[in-house]
Amino acid sequence: MKVVFSRCESYSDVKEALKEVVDRLGGIERFVRKGERVLVKPNLLSPHTPEHAVTTHPDFVRAVCELIEEAGGKVIIGDSPGMQGIGEELFERTGIKDLGYPCVLFDKERTILKNGWLLTSVLEKVDRIINLPKLKTHTLTTLTLGVKNLYGLIPGVTKKKLHTKYPDPFSFSHMLLELYFLVKPDLTLLDGIWGMEGNGPSAGNPVRPGIVAGSPSALALDVEVAKRTGAGGFPLKRIAERKKILPSYTVEGDFRFRLKLPGKRWYHLLPSWAGHILSRLYRVKPGVLPEKCTGCGICMRNCPAGAIEIKDTARINYSRCIGCMSCQELCPFRAIVPVYGLIRR
Ligand code: SF4
Ligand code: SF4
């Protein structure tokens, strides 16, 4: 097993960088055979245009789709965004529709039950999954990379319920790992040419790590990226190391880029079990910036705990809030910021 990094400073060079990564992993034919239907799963969190670095860049997606077609595969691009009620504008604004491949919004498809998980039925129609995460920070999980990107295979409202069930970074990351081992993508290719630091996954600042990375193991890729971006305490990495579920792998290519991580990641300094317990007590919570809030109600409609009401601007009922930070993730006006402190219940 390998994790491969290739430097790439511009999307105009992305095809060459991706080809180098895939060739070093054994060539695209190792992952796609002639006639196979391939689900390409970018990170399409919300209908942001590419320069915001919230979503996998369309040039990156195009280059992967071309490689799949060159191997004789048939491409289907699909995702379920973080917010409900989004339609075709998701593919339009992110630049994905212009690529000309079939695009499927999982929220409009049937769901299937697999080992207790409600997943998109598109999984029944494809032979392969190629996972295309974006390199970003995340206020709940520290980073969002290959494993977290699979959360989009769960359509709409079910994602909301899981946030309620797994409200802290460690239990949420445990859940993500279960999902990962259930769906196991064939190949993960990371768009780190432009990424996001600070209050990601949508309200942070775009940065240019200038990297394309790939691996058949999204988990190994995530762990290596965390080590190389200053996020050594990434909950997913700590759980994987503690449970000894990391595959053995080698690394090819060089990459270092220190990301500004969201908020106080103090529990990174603790043993994993202690971090898990204390992260339930001392947790990130959303704070509303009234001067930026337009009262649009997107946060209210997507809050899994029903903790938000709109009175001109968003008001948060902290006795109900579970700290999932979905509201911050989805606010289009950056009107919600993370605040760190003891949970008040
Ligand atoms: S906080 Fe953001 S999403 Fe919520 S109502 Fe205000 S502007 Fe809309
Ligand atoms: S208010 Fe925000 S952080 Fe709190 S439960 Fe609702 S969406 Fe999650």
Side-chain angles (χ1 to χ4, degrees), residues 161-198:
K161 287 184 185 153
L162 288 171
H163 270 298
T164 318
K165 197 169 171 192
Y166 305 103
D168 66 274
F170 284 86
S171 61
F172 195 79
S173 300
H174 267 286
M175 179 273 295
L176 290 176
L177 280 167
E178 271 184 46
L179 174 65
Y180 167 67
F181 284 111
L182 179 67
V183 295
K184 272 264 185 114
D186 296 272
L187 174 63
T188 294
L189 295 165
L190 176 73
D191 173 9
I193 299 173
W194 277 88
M196 180 173 283
E197 66 177 9

PDB file of all heavy atoms in Angstrom, residues 161-198:
ATOM      1  N   LYS A 161     -29.272  13.631  11.593  1.00  0.00           N
ATOM      2  CA  LYS A 161     -29.513  12.779  12.770  1.00  0.00           C
ATOM      3  C   LYS A 161     -28.200  12.252  13.338  1.00  0.00           C
ATOM      4  O   LYS A 161     -28.038  12.133  14.548  1.00  0.00           O
ATOM      5  CB  LYS A 161     -30.420  11.607  12.384  1.00  0.00           C
ATOM      6  CG  LYS A 161     -31.853  12.027  12.154  1.00  0.00           C
ATOM      7  CD  LYS A 161     -32.729  10.834  11.862  1.00  0.00           C
ATOM      8  CE  LYS A 161     -34.131  11.302  11.516  1.00  0.00           C
ATOM      9  NZ  LYS A 161     -34.839  10.358  10.657  1.00  0.00           N
ATOM     10  N   LEU A 162     -27.264  11.929  12.461  1.00  0.00           N
ATOM     11  CA  LEU A 162     -25.986  11.393  12.945  1.00  0.00           C
ATOM     12  C   LEU A 162     -25.199  12.450  13.721  1.00  0.00           C
ATOM     13  O   LEU A 162     -24.468  12.128  14.648  1.00  0.00           O
ATOM     14  CB  LEU A 162     -25.164  10.853  11.771  1.00  0.00           C
ATOM     15  CG  LEU A 162     -25.708   9.551  11.178  1.00  0.00           C
ATOM     16  CD1 LEU A 162     -24.974   9.197   9.897  1.00  0.00           C
ATOM     17  CD2 LEU A 162     -25.592   8.404  12.172  1.00  0.00           C
ATOM     18  N   HIS A 163     -25.364  13.705  13.340  1.00  0.00           N
ATOM     19  CA  HIS A 163     -24.708  14.772  14.098  1.00  0.00           C
ATOM     20  C   HIS A 163     -25.233  14.796  15.534  1.00  0.00           C
ATOM     21  O   HIS A 163     -24.491  15.040  16.477  1.00  0.00           O
ATOM     22  CB  HIS A 163     -24.962  16.129  13.435  1.00  0.00           C
ATOM     23  CG  HIS A 163     -23.924  16.480  12.415  1.00  0.00           C
ATOM     24  ND1 HIS A 163     -22.596  16.645  12.732  1.00  0.00           N
ATOM     25  CD2 HIS A 163     -24.017  16.708  11.092  1.00  0.00           C
ATOM     26  CE1 HIS A 163     -21.917  16.959  11.650  1.00  0.00           C
ATOM     27  NE2 HIS A 163     -22.749  16.995  10.637  1.00  0.00           N
ATOM     28  N   THR A 164     -26.522  14.526  15.681  1.00  0.00           N
ATOM     29  CA  THR A 164     -27.107  14.514  17.027  1.00  0.00           C
ATOM     30  C   THR A 164     -26.593  13.317  17.820  1.00  0.00           C
ATOM     31  O   THR A 164     -26.310  13.419  19.009  1.00  0.00           O
ATOM     32  CB  THR A 164     -28.651  14.417  16.932  1.00  0.00           C
ATOM     33  OG1 THR A 164     -29.084  15.278  15.898  1.00  0.00           O
ATOM     34  CG2 THR A 164     -29.318  14.795  18.230  1.00  0.00           C
ATOM     35  N   LYS A 165     -26.452  12.192  17.130  1.00  0.00           N
ATOM     36  CA  LYS A 165     -26.033  10.968  17.809  1.00  0.00           C
ATOM     37  C   LYS A 165     -24.546  10.995  18.179  1.00  0.00           C
ATOM     38  O   LYS A 165     -24.134  10.426  19.178  1.00  0.00           O
ATOM     39  CB  LYS A 165     -26.322   9.786  16.873  1.00  0.00           C
ATOM     40  CG  LYS A 165     -26.332   8.449  17.541  1.00  0.00           C
ATOM     41  CD  LYS A 165     -26.896   7.395  16.603  1.00  0.00           C
ATOM     42  CE  LYS A 165     -26.701   6.011  17.194  1.00  0.00           C
ATOM     43  NZ  LYS A 165     -26.961   4.971  16.210  1.00  0.00           N
ATOM     44  N   TYR A 166     -23.743  11.647  17.356  1.00  0.00           N
ATOM     45  CA  TYR A 166     -22.283  11.677  17.574  1.00  0.00           C
ATOM     46  C   TYR A 166     -21.812  13.132  17.625  1.00  0.00           C
ATOM     47  O   TYR A 166     -21.222  13.635  16.663  1.00  0.00           O
ATOM     48  CB  TYR A 166     -21.570  10.932  16.442  1.00  0.00           C
ATOM     49  CG  TYR A 166     -22.063   9.517  16.250  1.00  0.00           C
ATOM     50  CD1 TYR A 166     -22.920   9.195  15.196  1.00  0.00           C
ATOM     51  CD2 TYR A 166     -21.690   8.512  17.132  1.00  0.00           C
ATOM     52  CE1 TYR A 166     -23.386   7.901  15.023  1.00  0.00           C
ATOM     53  CE2 TYR A 166     -22.151   7.216  16.967  1.00  0.00           C
ATOM     54  CZ  TYR A 166     -22.999   6.916  15.912  1.00  0.00           C
ATOM     55  OH  TYR A 166     -23.463   5.641  15.744  1.00  0.00           O
ATOM     56  N   PRO A 167     -22.066  13.831  18.721  1.00  0.00           N
ATOM     57  CA  PRO A 167     -21.851  15.283  18.722  1.00  0.00           C
ATOM     58  C   PRO A 167     -20.409  15.749  18.928  1.00  0.00           C
ATOM     59  O   PRO A 167     -20.097  16.877  18.611  1.00  0.00           O
ATOM     60  CB  PRO A 167     -22.724  15.748  19.896  1.00  0.00           C
ATOM     61  CG  PRO A 167     -22.799  14.577  20.811  1.00  0.00           C
ATOM     62  CD  PRO A 167     -22.705  13.359  19.955  1.00  0.00           C
ATOM     63  N   ASP A 168     -19.520  14.890  19.457  1.00  0.00           N
ATOM     64  CA  ASP A 168     -18.166  15.383  19.735  1.00  0.00           C
ATOM     65  C   ASP A 168     -17.186  14.826  18.704  1.00  0.00           C
ATOM     66  O   ASP A 168     -17.479  13.860  18.008  1.00  0.00           O
ATOM     67  CB  ASP A 168     -17.742  14.992  21.160  1.00  0.00           C
ATOM     68  CG  ASP A 168     -17.615  13.499  21.290  1.00  0.00           C
ATOM     69  OD1 ASP A 168     -18.637  12.830  21.563  1.00  0.00           O
ATOM     70  OD2 ASP A 168     -16.514  12.980  21.068  1.00  0.00           O
ATOM     71  N   PRO A 169     -16.002  15.431  18.598  1.00  0.00           N
ATOM     72  CA  PRO A 169     -15.075  15.054  17.521  1.00  0.00           C
ATOM     73  C   PRO A 169     -14.681  13.584  17.529  1.00  0.00           C
ATOM     74  O   PRO A 169     -14.496  12.987  16.472  1.00  0.00           O
ATOM     75  CB  PRO A 169     -13.835  15.917  17.783  1.00  0.00           C
ATOM     76  CG  PRO A 169     -14.201  16.909  18.808  1.00  0.00           C
ATOM     77  CD  PRO A 169     -15.485  16.514  19.438  1.00  0.00           C
ATOM     78  N   PHE A 170     -14.557  12.986  18.721  1.00  0.00           N
ATOM     79  CA  PHE A 170     -14.085  11.602  18.769  1.00  0.00           C
ATOM     80  C   PHE A 170     -15.186  10.613  18.396  1.00  0.00           C
ATOM     81  O   PHE A 170     -14.958   9.698  17.606  1.00  0.00           O
ATOM     82  CB  PHE A 170     -13.491  11.289  20.150  1.00  0.00           C
ATOM     83  CG  PHE A 170     -12.123  11.889  20.318  1.00  0.00           C
ATOM     84  CD1 PHE A 170     -11.971  13.194  20.765  1.00  0.00           C
ATOM     85  CD2 PHE A 170     -10.985  11.175  19.987  1.00  0.00           C
ATOM     86  CE1 PHE A 170     -10.721  13.769  20.892  1.00  0.00           C
ATOM     87  CE2 PHE A 170      -9.718  11.736  20.102  1.00  0.00           C
ATOM     88  CZ  PHE A 170      -9.586  13.043  20.565  1.00  0.00           C
ATOM     89  N   SER A 171     -16.395  10.808  18.938  1.00  0.00           N
ATOM     90  CA  SER A 171     -17.461   9.861  18.575  1.00  0.00           C
ATOM     91  C   SER A 171     -17.831  10.041  17.099  1.00  0.00           C
ATOM     92  O   SER A 171     -18.112   9.072  16.392  1.00  0.00           O
ATOM     93  CB  SER A 171     -18.690  10.025  19.476  1.00  0.00           C
ATOM     94  OG  SER A 171     -19.240  11.311  19.356  1.00  0.00           O
ATOM     95  N   PHE A 172     -17.782  11.278  16.626  1.00  0.00           N
ATOM     96  CA  PHE A 172     -18.087  11.519  15.212  1.00  0.00           C
ATOM     97  C   PHE A 172     -17.034  10.837  14.321  1.00  0.00           C
ATOM     98  O   PHE A 172     -17.357  10.209  13.312  1.00  0.00           O
ATOM     99  CB  PHE A 172     -18.133  13.028  14.943  1.00  0.00           C
ATOM    100  CG  PHE A 172     -18.766  13.390  13.636  1.00  0.00           C
ATOM    101  CD1 PHE A 172     -20.146  13.409  13.495  1.00  0.00           C
ATOM    102  CD2 PHE A 172     -17.993  13.697  12.531  1.00  0.00           C
ATOM    103  CE1 PHE A 172     -20.739  13.727  12.280  1.00  0.00           C
ATOM    104  CE2 PHE A 172     -18.580  14.021  11.307  1.00  0.00           C
ATOM    105  CZ  PHE A 172     -19.952  14.039  11.188  1.00  0.00           C
ATOM    106  N   SER A 173     -15.784  10.915  14.726  1.00  0.00           N
ATOM    107  CA  SER A 173     -14.711  10.298  13.933  1.00  0.00           C
ATOM    108  C   SER A 173     -14.805   8.774  13.969  1.00  0.00           C
ATOM    109  O   SER A 173     -14.522   8.103  12.971  1.00  0.00           O
ATOM    110  CB  SER A 173     -13.343  10.763  14.443  1.00  0.00           C
ATOM    111  OG  SER A 173     -13.247  12.166  14.329  1.00  0.00           O
ATOM    112  N   HIS A 174     -15.207   8.222  15.125  1.00  0.00           N
ATOM    113  CA  HIS A 174     -15.454   6.776  15.203  1.00  0.00           C
ATOM    114  C   HIS A 174     -16.508   6.374  14.176  1.00  0.00           C
ATOM    115  O   HIS A 174     -16.361   5.384  13.460  1.00  0.00           O
ATOM    116  CB  HIS A 174     -15.987   6.407  16.595  1.00  0.00           C
ATOM    117  CG  HIS A 174     -14.922   5.988  17.559  1.00  0.00           C
ATOM    118  ND1 HIS A 174     -14.303   4.763  17.486  1.00  0.00           N
ATOM    119  CD2 HIS A 174     -14.375   6.626  18.611  1.00  0.00           C
ATOM    120  CE1 HIS A 174     -13.413   4.670  18.459  1.00  0.00           C
ATOM    121  NE2 HIS A 174     -13.427   5.791  19.160  1.00  0.00           N
ATOM    122  N   MET A 175     -17.575   7.159  14.136  1.00  0.00           N
ATOM    123  CA  MET A 175     -18.665   6.875  13.197  1.00  0.00           C
ATOM    124  C   MET A 175     -18.154   6.939  11.750  1.00  0.00           C
ATOM    125  O   MET A 175     -18.463   6.083  10.925  1.00  0.00           O
ATOM    126  CB  MET A 175     -19.797   7.886  13.441  1.00  0.00           C
ATOM    127  CG  MET A 175     -20.995   7.766  12.540  1.00  0.00           C
ATOM    128  SD  MET A 175     -20.830   8.669  11.003  1.00  0.00           S
ATOM    129  CE  MET A 175     -20.779  10.353  11.580  1.00  0.00           C
ATOM    130  N   LEU A 176     -17.332   7.951  11.453  1.00  0.00           N
ATOM    131  CA  LEU A 176     -16.794   8.079  10.089  1.00  0.00           C
ATOM    132  C   LEU A 176     -15.948   6.863   9.710  1.00  0.00           C
ATOM    133  O   LEU A 176     -15.987   6.398   8.570  1.00  0.00           O
ATOM    134  CB  LEU A 176     -15.936   9.350   9.977  1.00  0.00           C
ATOM    135  CG  LEU A 176     -16.669  10.686  10.032  1.00  0.00           C
ATOM    136  CD1 LEU A 176     -15.660  11.839  10.012  1.00  0.00           C
ATOM    137  CD2 LEU A 176     -17.648  10.845   8.870  1.00  0.00           C
ATOM    138  N   LEU A 177     -15.199   6.361  10.682  1.00  0.00           N
ATOM    139  CA  LEU A 177     -14.360   5.192  10.386  1.00  0.00           C
ATOM    140  C   LEU A 177     -15.212   3.959  10.086  1.00  0.00           C
ATOM    141  O   LEU A 177     -14.898   3.174   9.197  1.00  0.00           O
ATOM    142  CB  LEU A 177     -13.414   4.914  11.558  1.00  0.00           C
ATOM    143  CG  LEU A 177     -12.182   5.822  11.584  1.00  0.00           C
ATOM    144  CD1 LEU A 177     -11.451   5.720  12.915  1.00  0.00           C
ATOM    145  CD2 LEU A 177     -11.237   5.490  10.428  1.00  0.00           C
ATOM    146  N   GLU A 178     -16.304   3.811  10.824  1.00  0.00           N
ATOM    147  CA  GLU A 178     -17.216   2.679  10.537  1.00  0.00           C
ATOM    148  C   GLU A 178     -17.746   2.783   9.117  1.00  0.00           C
ATOM    149  O   GLU A 178     -17.802   1.810   8.375  1.00  0.00           O
ATOM    150  CB  GLU A 178     -18.402   2.708  11.506  1.00  0.00           C
ATOM    151  CG  GLU A 178     -18.163   1.945  12.782  1.00  0.00           C
ATOM    152  CD  GLU A 178     -19.421   1.941  13.636  1.00  0.00           C
ATOM    153  OE1 GLU A 178     -20.513   1.681  13.112  1.00  0.00           O
ATOM    154  OE2 GLU A 178     -19.284   2.243  14.838  1.00  0.00           O
ATOM    155  N   LEU A 179     -18.146   4.005   8.755  1.00  0.00           N
ATOM    156  CA  LEU A 179     -18.671   4.221   7.397  1.00  0.00           C
ATOM    157  C   LEU A 179     -17.593   3.913   6.360  1.00  0.00           C
ATOM    158  O   LEU A 179     -17.849   3.265   5.342  1.00  0.00           O
ATOM    159  CB  LEU A 179     -19.144   5.677   7.271  1.00  0.00           C
ATOM    160  CG  LEU A 179     -19.594   6.119   5.884  1.00  0.00           C
ATOM    161  CD1 LEU A 179     -20.839   5.351   5.438  1.00  0.00           C
ATOM    162  CD2 LEU A 179     -19.885   7.625   5.862  1.00  0.00           C
ATOM    163  N   TYR A 180     -16.380   4.362   6.646  1.00  0.00           N
ATOM    164  CA  TYR A 180     -15.272   4.142   5.709  1.00  0.00           C
ATOM    165  C   TYR A 180     -15.055   2.646   5.462  1.00  0.00           C
ATOM    166  O   TYR A 180     -14.936   2.199   4.321  1.00  0.00           O
ATOM    167  CB  TYR A 180     -13.994   4.788   6.259  1.00  0.00           C
ATOM    168  CG  TYR A 180     -12.745   4.363   5.536  1.00  0.00           C
ATOM    169  CD1 TYR A 180     -12.541   4.722   4.207  1.00  0.00           C
ATOM    170  CD2 TYR A 180     -11.783   3.580   6.164  1.00  0.00           C
ATOM    171  CE1 TYR A 180     -11.405   4.314   3.523  1.00  0.00           C
ATOM    172  CE2 TYR A 180     -10.644   3.174   5.486  1.00  0.00           C
ATOM    173  CZ  TYR A 180     -10.462   3.543   4.173  1.00  0.00           C
ATOM    174  OH  TYR A 180      -9.345   3.133   3.494  1.00  0.00           O
ATOM    175  N   PHE A 181     -15.034   1.863   6.542  1.00  0.00           N
ATOM    176  CA  PHE A 181     -14.782   0.429   6.362  1.00  0.00           C
ATOM    177  C   PHE A 181     -15.965  -0.271   5.695  1.00  0.00           C
ATOM    178  O   PHE A 181     -15.810  -1.329   5.103  1.00  0.00           O
ATOM    179  CB  PHE A 181     -14.424  -0.229   7.700  1.00  0.00           C
ATOM    180  CG  PHE A 181     -13.008   0.088   8.107  1.00  0.00           C
ATOM    181  CD1 PHE A 181     -12.738   0.910   9.181  1.00  0.00           C
ATOM    182  CD2 PHE A 181     -11.945  -0.418   7.368  1.00  0.00           C
ATOM    183  CE1 PHE A 181     -11.424   1.219   9.535  1.00  0.00           C
ATOM    184  CE2 PHE A 181     -10.622  -0.116   7.710  1.00  0.00           C
ATOM    185  CZ  PHE A 181     -10.365   0.702   8.793  1.00  0.00           C
ATOM    186  N   LEU A 182     -17.132   0.338   5.753  1.00  0.00           N
ATOM    187  CA  LEU A 182     -18.292  -0.240   5.072  1.00  0.00           C
ATOM    188  C   LEU A 182     -18.229   0.005   3.563  1.00  0.00           C
ATOM    189  O   LEU A 182     -18.469  -0.902   2.772  1.00  0.00           O
ATOM    190  CB  LEU A 182     -19.581   0.374   5.649  1.00  0.00           C
ATOM    191  CG  LEU A 182     -20.883  -0.099   5.035  1.00  0.00           C
ATOM    192  CD1 LEU A 182     -21.120  -1.577   5.366  1.00  0.00           C
ATOM    193  CD2 LEU A 182     -22.051   0.738   5.539  1.00  0.00           C
ATOM    194  N   VAL A 183     -17.905   1.232   3.159  1.00  0.00           N
ATOM    195  CA  VAL A 183     -17.987   1.549   1.723  1.00  0.00           C
ATOM    196  C   VAL A 183     -16.638   1.507   1.014  1.00  0.00           C
ATOM    197  O   VAL A 183     -16.598   1.402  -0.207  1.00  0.00           O
ATOM    198  CB  VAL A 183     -18.647   2.928   1.466  1.00  0.00           C
ATOM    199  CG1 VAL A 183     -20.073   2.933   1.908  1.00  0.00           C
ATOM    200  CG2 VAL A 183     -17.879   4.062   2.112  1.00  0.00           C
ATOM    201  N   LYS A 184     -15.545   1.591   1.739  1.00  0.00           N
ATOM    202  CA  LYS A 184     -14.179   1.502   1.211  1.00  0.00           C
ATOM    203  C   LYS A 184     -14.039   1.923  -0.262  1.00  0.00           C
ATOM    204  O   LYS A 184     -14.163   1.091  -1.174  1.00  0.00           O
ATOM    205  CB  LYS A 184     -13.672   0.074   1.373  1.00  0.00           C
ATOM    206  CG  LYS A 184     -13.012  -0.193   2.710  1.00  0.00           C
ATOM    207  CD  LYS A 184     -11.517  -0.048   2.560  1.00  0.00           C
ATOM    208  CE  LYS A 184     -10.734  -0.399   3.771  1.00  0.00           C
ATOM    209  NZ  LYS A 184      -9.915  -1.554   3.621  1.00  0.00           N
ATOM    210  N   PRO A 185     -13.775   3.172  -0.541  1.00  0.00           N
ATOM    211  CA  PRO A 185     -13.565   3.583  -1.932  1.00  0.00           C
ATOM    212  C   PRO A 185     -12.347   2.870  -2.527  1.00  0.00           C
ATOM    213  O   PRO A 185     -11.429   2.499  -1.797  1.00  0.00           O
ATOM    214  CB  PRO A 185     -13.314   5.091  -1.812  1.00  0.00           C
ATOM    215  CG  PRO A 185     -12.868   5.305  -0.403  1.00  0.00           C
ATOM    216  CD  PRO A 185     -13.533   4.245   0.420  1.00  0.00           C
ATOM    217  N   ASP A 186     -12.363   2.698  -3.844  1.00  0.00           N
ATOM    218  CA  ASP A 186     -11.247   2.001  -4.493  1.00  0.00           C
ATOM    219  C   ASP A 186      -9.999   2.869  -4.518  1.00  0.00           C
ATOM    220  O   ASP A 186      -8.882   2.362  -4.469  1.00  0.00           O
ATOM    221  CB  ASP A 186     -11.647   1.639  -5.930  1.00  0.00           C
ATOM    222  CG  ASP A 186     -12.801   0.661  -5.925  1.00  0.00           C
ATOM    223  OD1 ASP A 186     -12.542  -0.545  -5.879  1.00  0.00           O
ATOM    224  OD2 ASP A 186     -13.967   1.110  -5.902  1.00  0.00           O
ATOM    225  N   LEU A 187     -10.220   4.166  -4.644  1.00  0.00           N
ATOM    226  CA  LEU A 187      -9.085   5.085  -4.781  1.00  0.00           C
ATOM    227  C   LEU A 187      -9.502   6.444  -4.226  1.00  0.00           C
ATOM    228  O   LEU A 187     -10.631   6.891  -4.463  1.00  0.00           O
ATOM    229  CB  LEU A 187      -8.718   5.215  -6.269  1.00  0.00           C
ATOM    230  CG  LEU A 187      -7.648   6.230  -6.656  1.00  0.00           C
ATOM    231  CD1 LEU A 187      -6.293   5.862  -6.035  1.00  0.00           C
ATOM    232  CD2 LEU A 187      -7.504   6.301  -8.184  1.00  0.00           C
ATOM    233  N   THR A 188      -8.584   7.080  -3.500  1.00  0.00           N
ATOM    234  CA  THR A 188      -8.838   8.438  -3.015  1.00  0.00           C
ATOM    235  C   THR A 188      -7.767   9.357  -3.578  1.00  0.00           C
ATOM    236  O   THR A 188      -6.571   9.061  -3.485  1.00  0.00           O
ATOM    237  CB  THR A 188      -8.833   8.471  -1.470  1.00  0.00           C
ATOM    238  OG1 THR A 188      -9.942   7.708  -1.002  1.00  0.00           O
ATOM    239  CG2 THR A 188      -8.958   9.895  -0.942  1.00  0.00           C
ATOM    240  N   LEU A 189      -8.210  10.439  -4.203  1.00  0.00           N
ATOM    241  CA  LEU A 189      -7.287  11.431  -4.773  1.00  0.00           C
ATOM    242  C   LEU A 189      -7.634  12.779  -4.162  1.00  0.00           C
ATOM    243  O   LEU A 189      -8.780  13.243  -4.270  1.00  0.00           O
ATOM    244  CB  LEU A 189      -7.442  11.467  -6.299  1.00  0.00           C
ATOM    245  CG  LEU A 189      -7.028  10.166  -7.016  1.00  0.00           C
ATOM    246  CD1 LEU A 189      -7.543  10.136  -8.446  1.00  0.00           C
ATOM    247  CD2 LEU A 189      -5.509   9.989  -6.980  1.00  0.00           C
ATOM    248  N   LEU A 190      -6.667  13.387  -3.505  1.00  0.00           N
ATOM    249  CA  LEU A 190      -6.917  14.603  -2.722  1.00  0.00           C
ATOM    250  C   LEU A 190      -6.568  15.858  -3.515  1.00  0.00           C
ATOM    251  O   LEU A 190      -5.441  15.993  -4.011  1.00  0.00           O
ATOM    252  CB  LEU A 190      -6.065  14.565  -1.447  1.00  0.00           C
ATOM    253  CG  LEU A 190      -6.124  15.814  -0.560  1.00  0.00           C
ATOM    254  CD1 LEU A 190      -7.456  15.887   0.173  1.00  0.00           C
ATOM    255  CD2 LEU A 190      -4.975  15.814   0.445  1.00  0.00           C
ATOM    256  N   ASP A 191      -7.532  16.770  -3.591  1.00  0.00           N
ATOM    257  CA  ASP A 191      -7.287  18.086  -4.190  1.00  0.00           C
ATOM    258  C   ASP A 191      -6.743  19.013  -3.105  1.00  0.00           C
ATOM    259  O   ASP A 191      -7.497  19.591  -2.318  1.00  0.00           O
ATOM    260  CB  ASP A 191      -8.601  18.641  -4.762  1.00  0.00           C
ATOM    261  CG  ASP A 191      -8.456  20.088  -5.243  1.00  0.00           C
ATOM    262  OD1 ASP A 191      -7.317  20.600  -5.284  1.00  0.00           O
ATOM    263  OD2 ASP A 191      -9.498  20.700  -5.577  1.00  0.00           O
ATOM    264  N   GLY A 192      -5.406  19.133  -3.090  1.00  0.00           N
ATOM    265  CA  GLY A 192      -4.766  20.038  -2.139  1.00  0.00           C
ATOM    266  C   GLY A 192      -4.008  21.137  -2.871  1.00  0.00           C
ATOM    267  O   GLY A 192      -3.054  21.694  -2.342  1.00  0.00           O
ATOM    268  N   ILE A 193      -4.393  21.399  -4.099  1.00  0.00           N
ATOM    269  CA  ILE A 193      -3.727  22.478  -4.848  1.00  0.00           C
ATOM    270  C   ILE A 193      -4.099  23.800  -4.162  1.00  0.00           C
ATOM    271  O   ILE A 193      -3.242  24.550  -3.727  1.00  0.00           O
ATOM    272  CB  ILE A 193      -4.136  22.436  -6.336  1.00  0.00           C
ATOM    273  CG1 ILE A 193      -3.702  21.097  -6.934  1.00  0.00           C
ATOM    274  CG2 ILE A 193      -3.497  23.613  -7.094  1.00  0.00           C
ATOM    275  CD1 ILE A 193      -4.176  20.852  -8.348  1.00  0.00           C
ATOM    276  N   TRP A 194      -5.391  24.032  -4.056  1.00  0.00           N
ATOM    277  CA  TRP A 194      -5.898  25.054  -3.145  1.00  0.00           C
ATOM    278  C   TRP A 194      -6.711  24.332  -2.079  1.00  0.00           C
ATOM    279  O   TRP A 194      -7.441  23.380  -2.387  1.00  0.00           O
ATOM    280  CB  TRP A 194      -6.778  26.078  -3.873  1.00  0.00           C
ATOM    281  CG  TRP A 194      -5.968  27.151  -4.535  1.00  0.00           C
ATOM    282  CD1 TRP A 194      -5.450  27.108  -5.799  1.00  0.00           C
ATOM    283  CD2 TRP A 194      -5.553  28.398  -3.964  1.00  0.00           C
ATOM    284  NE1 TRP A 194      -4.739  28.258  -6.057  1.00  0.00           N
ATOM    285  CE2 TRP A 194      -4.785  29.074  -4.949  1.00  0.00           C
ATOM    286  CE3 TRP A 194      -5.745  29.018  -2.731  1.00  0.00           C
ATOM    287  CZ2 TRP A 194      -4.218  30.331  -4.734  1.00  0.00           C
ATOM    288  CZ3 TRP A 194      -5.185  30.273  -2.518  1.00  0.00           C
ATOM    289  CH2 TRP A 194      -4.425  30.912  -3.511  1.00  0.00           C
ATOM    290  N   GLY A 195      -6.575  24.767  -0.844  1.00  0.00           N
ATOM    291  CA  GLY A 195      -7.334  24.180   0.247  1.00  0.00           C
ATOM    292  C   GLY A 195      -7.821  25.278   1.167  1.00  0.00           C
ATOM    293  O   GLY A 195      -7.872  26.452   0.781  1.00  0.00           O
ATOM    294  N   MET A 196      -8.153  24.885   2.395  1.00  0.00           N
ATOM    295  CA  MET A 196      -8.690  25.878   3.338  1.00  0.00           C
ATOM    296  C   MET A 196      -8.081  25.673   4.719  1.00  0.00           C
ATOM    297  O   MET A 196      -7.927  24.543   5.171  1.00  0.00           O
ATOM    298  CB  MET A 196     -10.214  25.749   3.406  1.00  0.00           C
ATOM    299  CG  MET A 196     -10.847  26.754   4.358  1.00  0.00           C
ATOM    300  SD  MET A 196     -12.646  26.735   4.280  1.00  0.00           S
ATOM    301  CE  MET A 196     -12.918  27.625   2.757  1.00  0.00           C
ATOM    302  N   GLU A 197      -7.743  26.790   5.382  1.00  0.00           N
ATOM    303  CA  GLU A 197      -7.290  26.716   6.770  1.00  0.00           C
ATOM    304  C   GLU A 197      -8.184  27.600   7.641  1.00  0.00           C
ATOM    305  O   GLU A 197      -9.059  28.302   7.135  1.00  0.00           O
ATOM    306  CB  GLU A 197      -5.825  27.152   6.886  1.00  0.00           C
ATOM    307  CG  GLU A 197      -5.579  28.605   6.568  1.00  0.00           C
ATOM    308  CD  GLU A 197      -4.122  29.010   6.778  1.00  0.00           C
ATOM    309  OE1 GLU A 197      -3.265  28.141   7.016  1.00  0.00           O
ATOM    310  OE2 GLU A 197      -3.846  30.226   6.695  1.00  0.00           O
ATOM    311  N   GLY A 198      -7.957  27.557   8.956  1.00  0.00           N
ATOM    312  CA  GLY A 198      -8.796  28.352   9.861  1.00  0.00           C
ATOM    313  C   GLY A 198     -10.136  27.673  10.071  1.00  0.00           C
ATOM    314  O   GLY A 198     -10.198  26.454  10.231  1.00  0.00           O
TER     315      GLY A 198
END
